[in-house]
Amino acid sequence: MSPHATQVADMLIAIGRRIDARGHAPATGGNYSVRLDDGSIAITISGSHKGRLTRDDIMRVSAAGDALDGKKPSAETLLHCLIYAIDPGAGAVLHTHSIAGTVLSRALAGQDHIGLEGYELLKIFPGIDTHATRVELPLVDNSQDMPAVADQLRPLLTAQSPLLPAFYIRGHGLYTWGPTAEAAEHRVEACEFLLSCAWEECKLAGATR
Ligand SMILES: [Zn+2]
């Protein structure tokens, strides 16, 4: 590993510990990546526990998702590649699995977005400077066929202007990204917080109906 790649791996290891501590990386769920200077991608390998990553659990893939170092990429590497291809400003992508997001997205069966409105933390998204707004997080159905998931997502993401750096796969998990790993981590925290709020409000509405 080059010194830069080692630095990136150590950063992903630290991020994994923090995300796991928040309960957003159960079992081997989730995956994290950083776009490197040469356009290749450093990404967590398939099947690793994100709270217990070691440098060996980080691999390099090409922009097309092909392994560059003989390790096995996760099937979801394709979605990271899609994000980097669509958003030239994406420097890091983080994918998390939380209870609130999973349950809320399943409760919204048939919907193609998760509406988030009136929350202060919406200001985490680019171009938003007030809570008095509504954001619609694209929501697509889960599948083990990742090219099919990517096909659902591509038109939803490319139709946005400006592009919202987050989407949700129903019953599965959140993808969010940013120019740096630090920015992406802030967005994970904000999005998971917002999904928890939305789910709690959904429950409250059900209880008071
Ligand atoms: Zn996943």
Side-chain angles (χ1 to χ4, degrees):
M1 250 190 232
S2 70
H4 178 59
T6 305
Q7 213 178 14
V8 167
D10 289 347
M11 188 167 64
L12 290 177
I13 291 167
I15 286 173
R17 286 201 192 111
R18 291 194 290 269
I19 288 178
D20 183 42
R22 289 176 173 275
H24 299 157
T28 60
N31 35 64
Y32 319 135
S33 71
V34 167
R35 176 149 47 189
L36 301 174
D37 293 343
D38 65 358
S40 67
I41 298 161
I43 188 164
T44 46
I45 60 168
S46 176
S48 56
H49 192 294
K50 305 308 174 298
R52 300 166 212 155
L53 292 170
T54 67
R55 287 178 182 170
D56 278 347
D57 295 324
I58 316 292
M59 66 177 299
R60 259 179 73 228
V61 298
S62 69
D66 299 315
L68 297 176
D69 54 13
K71 293 180 186 171
K72 184 173 177 267
S74 127
E76 290 181 59
T77 297
L78 188 60
L79 300 185
H80 291 247
C81 295
L82 174 71
I83 292 164
Y84 290 121
I86 286 178
D87 187 350
V93 177
L94 301 174
H95 167 48
T96 47
H97 291 194
S98 68
I99 293 172
T102 300
V103 181
L104 175 65
S105 64
R106 283 164 55 90
L108 299 175
Q111 286 198 27
D112 64 359
H113 65 272
I114 300 174
L116 300 167
E117 191 169 343
Y119 297 113
E120 177 69 14
L121 264 184
L122 289 173
K123 287 156 59 183
I124 196 75
F125 292 118
I128 294 181
D129 55 10
T130 172
H131 65 283
T133 190
R134 176 180 169 85
V135 161
E136 294 190 344
L137 213 62
L139 174 61
V140 296
D141 287 332
N142 195 20
S143 167
Q144 298 312 309
D145 180 353
M146 281 303 142
V149 175
D151 286 345
Q152 285 187 72
L153 281 164
R154 198 173 291 105
L156 292 177
L157 299 181
T158 53
Q160 293 176 335
S161 180
L163 179 63
L164 186 76
F167 60 78
Y168 208 91
I169 304 178
R170 194 183 325 274
H172 175 165
L174 168 77
Y175 273 82
T176 187
W177 59 97
T180 63
E182 188 184 22
E185 193 177 0
H186 289 172
R187 286 182 184 159
V188 164
E189 290 179 13
C191 288
E192 291 292 6
F193 175 90
L194 291 167
L195 291 167
S196 293
C197 289
W199 174 234
E200 291 299 326
E201 287 184 4
C202 197
K203 282 196 286 186
L204 201 58
T208 54
R209 205 161 27 215

